[in-house]
Amino acid sequence: MKEFGLKQKDLKETNKGLISKILNYKRPHSLNYIRAFSKEFHIPADLLIKEYDLVPDK
């Protein structure tokens, strides 16, 4: 998002709490969000489906 000069508030029609958890690695992406991010940011979906570690809640 930094590369596009966007902030979380710029995302359309989203659950901001859920987006915050995804962006902060506290929740995995869902297929719907992978599709939406791919379309919104014009990046291949295969970049978004790579595995990543989640950060545990404190």
Side-chain angles (χ1 to χ4, degrees):
M1 289 180 57
K2 287 180 184 179
E3 290 178 29
F4 290 93
L6 297 173
K7 298 188 187 285
Q8 182 178 334
K9 67 180 180 176
D10 297 320
L11 298 176
K12 304 172 192 172
E13 301 176 23
T14 59
N15 176 327
K16 294 191 188 243
L18 178 62
I19 294 298
S20 178
K21 288 180 180 180
I22 291 171
L23 293 175
N24 290 300
Y25 300 99
K26 296 185 181 273
R27 183 180 173 125
H29 295 98
S30 70
L31 185 54
N32 288 337
Y33 279 100
I34 289 170
R35 288 179 182 139
F37 290 156
S38 177
K39 183 178 178 181
E40 183 76 22
F41 300 119
H42 308 284
I43 57 175
D46 62 330
L47 294 177
L48 297 170
I49 62 172
K50 292 182 180 182
E51 289 190 43
Y52 58 92
D53 293 326
L54 297 177
V55 176
D57 287 330
K58 293 181 181 179

